[in-house]
Amino acid sequence: MYTLVINCGSSSLKFQLINPESEEVMAIGLCERIGIEESKVTYQKKGGEKSVLLAPMPTHKEAVIIMQKLLTDEPSGIIKSLKEVGAVGHRVAHGGEIFTSSALITEETLKAIEECCALAPLHNPASLTGIRACMELMPETPMVAVFDTAFHQTMPESSYLYGLPYEYYEKYKVRKYGFHGTSHSYVSKRAAEYLNRDYEAMKIVVCHLGNGSSISAVKNGASVDTSMGFTPLEGLLMGTRSGDVDPGAMQFLMNKENLTIDEMLDVLNRKSGVLGISGVSSDFRDIMKAAAEGNHRAQAALDTFTYRVVKYIGAYAAAMGGIDAIVFTAGVGENDGEMRKKICHQLAFLGIDVNDEANAKRGSEQLISTADSKVAVLVIPTNEELAIARETIALVG
Ligand code: ADP
């Protein structure tokens, strides 16, 4: 029996069919531009060629039906029928304060996910449509919801409260939630396993640095703080998101540029971050190339990004009363050795010492600090789909 992992974004649906015993990926697919014209599906089964086909997908329901056909029909199929799927794990963006861990999907769970829609109006409704479509196709198959926010629900009040009138928290649940929870949880646990140390007795900082980036402080096996907030806009500088900005600057800019609040948010989400500062790209490889050619703004984008990562790590060292391990993960964290080195050099005061040879290696779990380093520094490739598959199996048994 296989485990199917489904991740519905606002206009996309990603899926992976995983063998839970060997943890092998049997098939992988991505449905894009759902609800817009020219929607397409990219699909590859184990040992097969990657194929791309155009297919109309007005909603996530059609995407789920196409996924079923790809997985079961000749020649793309890898299973005879969906009866070979023993369990489905769905990634859900927001679990609010209701979900502190993954949950078996029942009508009650669906109602609770619906209650969280106001907190993630683009993502949670998409997940719900995807889940309901899967339930129609596989009514007997147990399904699990794995939330991006759940891992951070252990944060203490002092970490999650904003300095706003308390009634906004009471009435509307406006607070820090944090995201990338599956990644932070998976990577921090793997780091403890790699170091052969007790996860429940460690102070770990996880740097998930990708197109979207967040840092978390994981103390004694629980998230105690994280850089993303009520939405994924807070915290670090990202590919196109601004991260922390003075809200007063927003009012000033809206007046100057005659922007509505939605237009301002669009600037903060899509035109800011390293793209906004560099004016080159949101892709770190392009920015590094431009910086090497002497582009000042590209260099400024990289320096500002690095500085903010260092600042958050320093803050979390203070928050936890020290750090045992720093872990780098996601696109930039896993691949950009130069960035890791710069960050670690600026943290030398913590007794961090990087092993240049280990830091230069790519693609696998790696301890990149020297034996003398007071803090262990690791690279752990994140694998959110596998983490979701494991959670799913753990819940359905
Ligand atoms: P997402 O948040 O979309 O999941 P990823 O974790 O895939 O993003 O990270 C994407 C980012 O990783 C891109 O900005 C890309 O430039 C960066 N990246 C990938 N490979 C490298 C590399 N070798 N060096 C530097 N940056 C890289």
Side-chain angles (χ1 to χ4, degrees), residues 231-281:
T231 72
L233 195 47
E234 191 181 343
L236 300 174
L237 219 66
M238 308 183 209
T240 62
R241 293 188 199 125
S242 63
D244 302 330
V245 186
D246 178 357
M250 302 302 98
Q251 185 197 32
F252 179 86
L253 283 174
M254 286 166 74
N255 288 335
K256 286 280 181 203
E257 298 270 319
N258 205 13
L259 299 175
T260 63
I261 186 75
D262 286 347
E263 287 165 342
M264 187 71 245
L265 258 296
D266 191 56
V267 172
L268 294 172
N269 272 307
R270 291 184 228 281
K271 298 176 185 153
S272 300
V274 289
L275 167 70
I277 295 183
S278 70
V280 172
S281 167

Side-chain angles (χ1 to χ4, degrees), residues 167-276:
E167 64 258 32
Y168 294 152
Y169 167 60
E170 289 179 311
K171 274 203 274 189
Y172 308 119
K173 297 286 172 220
V174 172
R175 50 160 281 180
K176 180 188 278 282
Y177 288 98
F179 297 88
H180 290 145
T182 317
S183 176
H184 286 286
S185 164
Y186 173 82
V187 162
S188 54
K189 276 186 203 131
R190 277 298 306 146
E193 278 167 18
Y194 187 98
L195 295 168
N196 206 8
R197 292 184 57 177
D198 180 8
Y199 184 50
E200 314 261 303
M202 282 190 80
K203 296 166 183 168
I204 305 173
V205 171
V206 178
C207 304
H208 178 114
L209 310 178
N211 191 27
S213 296
S214 67
I215 299 198
S216 67
V218 182
K219 189 177 180 182
N220 303 337
S223 170
V224 292
D225 206 348
T226 190
S227 59
M228 281 180 170
F230 179 69
T231 72
L233 195 47
E234 191 181 343
L236 300 174
L237 219 66
M238 308 183 209
T240 62
R241 293 188 199 125
S242 63
D244 302 330
V245 186
D246 178 357
M250 302 302 98
Q251 185 197 32
F252 179 86
L253 283 174
M254 286 166 74
N255 288 335
K256 286 280 181 203
E257 298 270 319
N258 205 13
L259 299 175
T260 63
I261 186 75
D262 286 347
E263 287 165 342
M264 187 71 245
L265 258 296
D266 191 56
V267 172
L268 294 172
N269 272 307
R270 291 184 228 281
K271 298 176 185 153
S272 300
V274 289
L275 167 70

Side-chain angles (χ1 to χ4, degrees), residues 180 208-212 282-285 288 330-332 335-336 362:
H180 290 145
H208 178 114
L209 310 178
N211 191 27
S282 62
D283 193 300
F284 278 75
R285 286 163 292 196
M288 280 156 64
V332 180
N335 296 301
D336 191 347
R362 290 258 296 269

Side-chain angles (χ1 to χ4, degrees), residues 1 9 12 64-65 78 154 174 177 202 279 292 303 319 332 337 354 368 382:
M1 289 294 232
S12 68
V64 167
I65 292 168
I78 189 113
T154 45
V174 172
Y177 288 98
M202 282 190 80
D303 292 345
V332 180
V354 172
I368 61 163
T382 192

